[in-house]
Amino acid sequence: MAQSIVFGIAGKVLEKLGNVAYEGICSVWGVRKEFAKLKDTLAAIRAVVLDAEQQQARTQELSLWLQRFKDACYDVEDLIDEFEIEAFRRQVLERGSTKRKVRHFFSGSNPLAFRFRMGYKIKKANEMLNEIAASMAKFRLTQKHETNVIHCERETYSFVKTSSVIGRDEAKQDLVNILMNPTDEKDIPVLPIVGIGGIGKTTLAQLVFNEESVKSHFELGIWVCVTEDFDIKQLMIKIIKSATGMNCKDMNKEELHKVLQDCLNGKRFFMVLDDVWNDDNKKWRELKDLLCEGAQGSRIIVTTRSLDVATITGTIPRYDLEHLSDENCLSLFLKLAFIEGEEKQHDNLVKIGEGIVKKCKGVALAVKTLGSLLRSTRVQHEWEVVRDSELVKLKQKENDILPALKLSYDHLPWHLKQCFAFCSVFPKDFEFGHHRLTQLWLANGFLQSPFENEEPEDIGNRCIQELLSRSFFQQYEDYLLFTKFKMHDLVHDLALSVAQNESLFLFDEEGKADSESLIAEQLPNNIRYFKRLRYLSLAYDGNIKRLPNSICNLQSLETLDLVGCRGLEELPKDIRYLISLRSLTVTTKQTRLQENGISCLTSLRRLIFSECENLEKLFEDIQNLTALRELYIHECHNLVSLPQGLKYLTALELLVIWNCEKLDLTMEELELEREEGGSLRKLAVRGVPKLESLPQWILLGSIKTLQHLYISNLNNLWTLPTWFQHFTSLQNLYIINCPKLSCLSEGMQHLTALKRLRIGGCPKLNKRCIEETGEDWPKIAHVPDFYCGDFETTTNDK
């Protein structure tokens, strides 16, 4: 069975305490004895954590004890990170001792002060662990290697694969008949579908929505997934988007009302309002009045878990959705747990499956989850564990958790538990792309691989596919270059629940918190009390002009996402005190960034400047960010130049420069100074019209490491450099919409690692690369995956 999060985190810290870097830290700073005490105490406590996890439901005191231990593990991990960062600084100092700017940065570093400060922190960490170890005796915990825990939990769009739905034909026909039944009512008839979470209300509505007779009967089909916040303006935007495809998010209510009137005027429409929680009759009437422009014969279906909502919204008798029969549940379960026909070879497992589906009590999503869970194993004992696990009784409340889904969560490896619980920071109905999610997981230290040198993207994609296969994620849209995912509402509730239990997201009724994750549209006044906050996103609030300086007290904060805060006039002056920050996304109105601000965040691994439209210059001392692996500069239209210190970021692996019209990347005076030793693996440059040739000062230091190069919309790029042939590790090359580029550089046939080449929107180059006959064809004939033509690419990733 899978490990708990606390058990896994403690194991991760113990692993750090035993690696090669730790040995170096002990030698340099003389902390071997203190760290040995930490290691021994932490290992002793970890040995009983699995038992504590299993018993914590019996007593809140034990749950709080586990939380204290988890906090202590994070503190020790932060300690090790500080030592590693300081060690990396010293390496850079030794490597670049002749460089004035690097020397200037480190001249203020005081080893004695650092040793004293860290010695005090180690002492406090040891004291905390000793207290935790002393108090665990009263719980009479024993060592365990496995844990069997239980629990369970739901999301939506209009598409459904009808062949994958079992047992709902009769219900579908009932609803179609009701919708087609003529009525003399002037008010639009509203039919509520009611049932507990996960029973299949959304699936039934999807079946009806996609029924051919329904499509032909109504002139307009509209599907809206309603959030818990029944915001009229947002609902108007969603209705218009579904009906017309128009994005009206920047309109006010009056403008939206006019567009909505034009959209519905005189048309017989069928609308599904899926997953409605609002029981405020006033709000419902306001929305209903906005829909009155539709023609006679229009219909609305509302799906909800609440009888109160059904009473408020319904104008005709509600439809109470019945549970699936045991027979249909078993058919669905076998369809998901086995490859077609395979169940005939496993009579013993089918027999156990009959017991499993009875536990699901007709809830289709629970059946789907357990079927997906067991698809990867044919071990009888593992099936029996699922069958024999005790399930709590379902209660019909808003935050209920379906036991089957929680059971599926308990079977996850601990690192996947962390990844899944982290997703509670996203709002319901949020569409996230694999790249953004992978980078957030990476910044928070969740991605680990048993394979040496495995790319983070590959690890992240594997985690996503695992969560997708177990029905924690739903694939929402599949584009050429990326895929969007969502979490079902019930699954999102599960993520919130387990994040609470793991203290990733804690609020009490008074609004006090000791949280590690928060996503909010407005900062609470007591933000400084969120001592364990690790993730803070203000990505969707354009009204914030200033952040309270108290945000800089959040010394456990690892990710700060300000993208979309276009009104932000400046960053907090004390942002340098966010010493644990690993990922920072900035949107600001500032023209320049203050010195001794972001440049002091030496733990940063990911830095994004997004839509900083007034920004003319980045901070000069960017070379201080010695741990920085990824730098994105996106839609900074007034940015003129990049700081010279960028060439000293030897840990940088990814650089993206996107739509910066005034940016000059030449920096000719730096080109001779550039040395090898860089680690850049991926470079993407798009929409930089001043660029005439690839920036030598960026690329020459990474000749041996660069694997992916994407250049696009470079209207004045006319040549590829002669040294291009030396990128012997290059695997993927995209050249898109560079109209002046007339030929490939000489020697490209030597790029034997090149696996994929895409050329498009380059008229002269396109002709020279025609297969077999083009003048440049001999240079690229060895590339196995080659395409040349006119095409557009989409690269959005939420």
Side-chain angles (χ1 to χ4, degrees):
M1 301 295 289
Q3 301 165 348
S4 76
I5 284 186
V6 181
F7 186 85
I9 292 172
K12 178 182 174 184
V13 175
L14 284 170
E15 184 179 348
K16 280 191 171 186
L17 286 170
N19 64 19
V20 176
Y22 157 73
E23 289 297 326
I25 289 170
C26 290
S27 300
V28 173
W29 299 105
V31 292
R32 187 180 304 276
K33 185 176 179 181
E34 294 92 331
F35 268 17
K37 291 178 183 177
L38 282 176
K39 189 176 180 180
D40 291 344
T41 311
L42 196 150
I45 300 172
R46 180 179 184 256
V48 299
V49 160
L50 293 178
D51 189 30
E53 283 278 319
Q54 194 168 7
Q55 296 189 42
Q56 66 173 319
R58 295 191 292 105
T59 165
Q60 186 179 10
E61 187 179 11
L62 183 55
S63 183
L64 292 173
W65 179 85
L66 273 171
Q67 177 59 45
R68 288 185 67 204
F69 179 55
K70 182 182 176 186
D71 292 344
C73 289
Y74 280 134
D75 289 341
V76 175
E77 185 178 26
D78 291 343
L79 272 176
I80 299 170
D81 287 346
E82 285 193 62
F83 275 111
E84 289 178 346
I85 291 166
E86 184 64 20
F88 192 74
R89 285 177 179 172
R90 290 164 65 90
Q91 291 175 14
V92 174
L93 174 59
E94 294 168 2
R95 194 166 56 232
S97 59
T98 61
K99 296 183 171 59
R100 181 180 58 83
K101 277 189 171 287
V102 177
R103 190 169 62 246
H104 172 74
F105 168 61
F106 285 110
S107 61
S109 179
N110 187 329
L112 290 176
F114 178 79
R115 173 68 178 88
F116 180 80
R117 185 175 78 252
M118 298 308 293
Y120 176 77
K121 288 187 176 182
I122 295 174
K123 178 184 176 183
K124 299 300 290 185
N126 264 315
E127 289 175 355
M128 174 62 74
L129 283 174
N130 288 335
E131 289 179 13
I132 294 170
S135 61
M136 73 181 182
K138 62 183 175 183
F139 300 118
R140 297 182 180 180
L141 301 172
T142 59
Q143 293 189 23
K144 289 198 173 183
H145 303 289
E146 294 183 344
T147 182
N148 304 328
V149 196
I150 306 166
H151 284 330
C152 280
E153 281 266 3
R154 173 188 160 160
E155 205 286 332
T156 118
Y157 48 99
S158 63
F159 173 76
V160 66
K161 187 177 180 181
T162 55
S163 61
S164 66
V165 181
I166 293 175
R168 293 304 187 195
D169 290 341
E170 183 177 346
K172 181 190 75 172
Q173 194 56 50
D174 288 343
L175 293 186
V176 170
N177 292 339
I178 294 172
L179 292 175
M180 299 298 190
N181 187 31
T183 176
D184 295 327
E185 289 184 68
K186 292 184 178 180
D187 198 13
I188 301 174
V190 180
L191 170 62
I193 304 176
V194 182
I196 64 170
I199 198 171
K201 304 180 296 296
T202 297
T203 300
L204 179 57
Q206 289 167 333
L207 289 172
V208 174
F209 190 87
N210 289 282
E211 173 66 24
E212 287 301 325
S213 60
V214 172
K215 288 182 177 180
S216 60
H217 181 77
F218 295 97
E219 298 172 71
L220 190 61
I222 302 170
W223 182 282
V224 177
C225 181
V226 183
T227 59
E228 292 182 29
D229 180 17
F230 200 85
D231 184 276
I232 299 299
K233 181 178 178 180
Q234 291 303 315
L235 288 173
M236 293 168 71
I237 292 171
K238 287 184 177 183
I239 291 170
I240 294 168
K241 182 73 179 292
S242 178
T244 68
M246 290 176 59
N247 191 340
C248 303
K249 64 180 181 179
D250 295 326
M251 293 185 181
N252 58 37
K253 273 190 173 183
E254 181 63 27
E255 292 168 331
L256 288 169
H257 180 224
K258 290 178 181 178
V259 175
L260 187 59
Q261 279 184 315
D262 293 339
C263 171
L264 300 179
N265 188 28
K267 294 181 181 177
R268 185 167 60 205
F269 68 83
F270 171 47
M271 180 182 297
V272 173
L273 297 174
D274 189 48
D275 202 23
V276 178
W277 290 93
N278 171 62
D279 57 4
D280 184 335
N281 187 53
K282 184 179 178 181
K283 284 187 176 182
W284 169 249
R285 293 311 313 176
E286 183 181 355
L287 177 65
K288 188 78 179 293
D289 291 344
L290 291 171
L291 305 177
C292 64
E293 296 296 326
Q296 181 78 11
S298 296
R299 298 288 188 273
I300 297 174
I301 279 182
V302 168
T303 72
T304 181
R305 303 181 195 181
S306 168
L307 290 175
D308 290 339
V309 173
T311 302
I312 290 169
T313 60
T315 63
I316 51 183
R318 70 174 189 264
Y319 190 91
D320 293 316
L321 185 57
E322 298 289 339
H323 293 80
L324 284 175
S325 67
D326 286 349
E327 181 182 353
N328 284 326
C329 279
L330 183 60
S331 297
L332 178 59
F333 176 82
L334 296 178
K335 187 181 183 73
L336 292 164
F338 294 100
I339 299 171
E340 185 175 357
E342 185 188 14
E343 68 274 13
K344 296 175 183 178
Q345 305 169 26
H346 299 280
D347 291 342
N348 59 326
L349 299 184
V350 173
K351 188 68 175 177
I352 297 170
E354 292 174 359
I356 291 174
V357 297
K358 288 181 180 179
K359 294 156 54 70
C360 297
K361 302 186 185 301
V363 178
L365 187 56
V367 175
K368 182 178 179 181
T369 303
L370 292 179
S372 299
L373 169 69
L374 293 172
R375 189 178 181 90
S376 61
T377 179
R378 297 295 175 259
V379 178
Q380 180 170 326
H381 173 68
E382 294 185 10
W383 282 56
E384 289 171 342
V385 168
V386 173
R387 181 198 61 194
D388 299 335
S389 297
E390 183 182 353
L391 296 178
V392 299
K393 239 181 178 179
L394 297 179
K395 296 181 181 179
Q396 217 169 337
K397 295 181 180 178
E398 180 178 352
N399 295 319
D400 282 346
I401 303 172
L402 288 176
L405 285 179
K406 182 58 172 63
L407 179 61
S408 183
Y409 166 82
D410 289 330
H411 280 72
L412 290 175
W414 78 271
H415 69 280
L416 278 182
K417 287 182 177 179
Q418 283 188 305
C419 291
F420 172 67
F422 177 84
C423 294
S424 65
V425 303
F426 299 123
K428 285 187 177 180
D429 301 324
F430 185 79
E431 304 166 13
F432 49 87
H434 69 277
H435 179 72
R436 180 180 184 184
L437 186 58
T438 294
Q439 297 308 319
L440 287 171
W441 282 343
L442 180 65
N444 284 274
F446 297 154
L447 298 184
Q448 299 180 18
S449 173
F451 308 111
E452 189 175 355
N453 298 325
E454 187 175 17
E455 290 286 334
E457 289 84 354
D458 295 333
I459 306 171
N461 285 336
R462 193 169 65 247
C463 291
I464 288 172
Q465 290 303 318
E466 184 71 13
L467 291 170
L468 184 66
S469 70
R470 295 172 183 250
S471 301
F472 288 100
F473 291 167
Q474 290 183 334
Q475 187 168 309
Y476 177 59
E477 291 186 49
D478 193 5
Y479 295 98
L480 176 64
L481 297 179
F482 67 95
T483 303
K484 286 183 180 179
F485 301 94
K486 279 188 176 184
M487 289 200 305
H488 195 284
D489 281 355
L490 194 60
V491 175
H492 187 274
D493 289 342
L494 172 65
L496 285 174
S497 173
V498 298
Q500 269 191 336
N501 292 337
E502 299 294 349
S503 300
L504 286 168
F505 194 89
L506 288 180
F507 286 91
D508 64 18
E509 294 179 358
E510 289 75 37
K512 298 176 183 177
D514 182 16
S515 173
E516 291 181 3
S517 297
L518 171 67
I519 192 164
E521 293 184 355
Q522 290 185 345
L523 281 173
N525 293 329
N526 59 350
I527 185 69
R528 63 186 180 278
Y529 297 120
F530 288 63
K531 297 298 184 184
R532 290 290 168 185
L533 192 71
R534 291 182 177 265
Y535 179 99
L536 174 60
S537 174
L538 301 170
Y540 306 101
D541 196 335
N543 299 318
I544 294 180
K545 294 184 178 180
R546 277 184 171 80
L547 295 174
N549 206 49
S550 58
I551 197 176
C552 301
N553 294 331
L554 305 175
Q555 294 195 8
S556 293
L557 195 67
E558 294 182 350
T559 299
L560 177 59
D561 186 353
L562 303 176
V563 65
C565 297
R566 297 178 182 85
L568 193 63
E569 295 176 352
E570 62 180 2
L571 297 175
K573 61 180 181 180
D574 290 334
I575 194 171
R576 64 186 182 275
Y577 293 125
L578 294 175
I579 58 175
S580 298
L581 207 61
R582 298 185 178 192
S583 177
L584 173 63
T585 304
V586 176
T587 299
T588 177
K589 285 186 173 182
Q590 289 175 269
T591 57
R592 296 203 174 195
L593 299 172
Q594 69 266 31
E595 299 297 324
N596 299 317
I598 296 176
S599 62
C600 296
L601 303 175
T602 52
S603 294
L604 269 184
R605 299 180 182 179
R606 183 178 190 237
L607 177 58
I608 301 175
F609 296 98
S610 178
E611 299 182 49
C612 301
E613 296 187 355
N614 299 329
L615 193 63
E616 298 174 358
K617 195 174 183 181
L618 303 183
F619 49 92
E620 279 297 331
D621 45 359
I622 195 171
Q623 72 273 7
N624 297 356
L625 304 181
T626 52
L628 194 66
R629 296 177 182 175
E630 300 179 10
L631 176 61
Y632 299 77
I633 304 169
H634 177 258
E635 304 281 355
C636 297
H637 302 297
N638 284 298
L639 188 66
V640 176
S641 63
L642 297 182
Q644 297 185 14
L646 187 63
K647 66 177 182 175
Y648 297 124
L649 296 179
T650 55
L652 193 67
E653 297 180 355
L654 171 65
L655 176 60
V656 176
I657 302 171
W658 210 260
N659 293 347
C660 301
E661 290 84 353
K662 296 184 179 181
L663 184 61
D664 186 354
L665 288 176
T666 54
M667 291 196 187
E668 294 179 3
E669 72 280 5
L670 294 178
E671 300 209 357
L672 295 178
E673 297 182 30
R674 185 61 173 164
E675 301 176 353
E676 290 191 11
S679 55
L680 195 67
R681 295 186 178 187
K682 297 185 179 181
L683 173 65
V685 182
R686 172 190 168 105
V688 184
K690 288 192 174 185
L691 190 65
E692 296 182 358
S693 182
L694 294 181
Q696 198 171 344
W697 67 278
I698 293 177
L699 286 168
L700 278 183
S702 301
I703 278 182
K704 296 179 180 179
T705 60
L706 192 71
Q707 297 177 355
H708 309 276
L709 177 61
Y710 179 96
I711 53 177
S712 173
N713 292 50
L714 303 178
N715 294 333
N716 288 303
L717 183 75
W718 63 275
T719 182
L720 295 178
T722 55
W723 40 265
F724 199 83
Q725 61 180 301
H726 299 302
F727 288 110
T728 53
S729 296
L730 192 65
Q731 298 176 9
N732 295 283
L733 174 60
Y734 285 75
I735 305 174
I736 311 296
N737 295 334
C738 300
K740 291 186 179 181
L741 189 61
S742 58
C743 65
L744 298 175
S745 63
E746 294 299 324
M748 283 194 63
Q749 62 269 24
H750 301 309
L751 301 181
T752 55
L754 192 61
K755 299 176 181 177
R756 176 178 296 171
L757 174 60
R758 296 286 186 271
I759 299 173
C762 310
K764 298 177 183 178
L765 186 59
N766 283 10
K767 291 181 181 179
R768 292 179 63 94
C769 293
I770 295 174
E771 189 170 350
E772 303 296 346
T773 61
E775 293 178 64
D776 281 350
W777 173 249
K779 302 176 184 177
I780 55 177
H782 65 287
V783 181
D785 185 1
F786 170 70
Y787 175 80
C788 180
D790 292 323
F791 64 89
E792 295 181 359
T793 59
T794 303
T795 55
N796 297 323
D797 186 14
K798 293 187 177 182

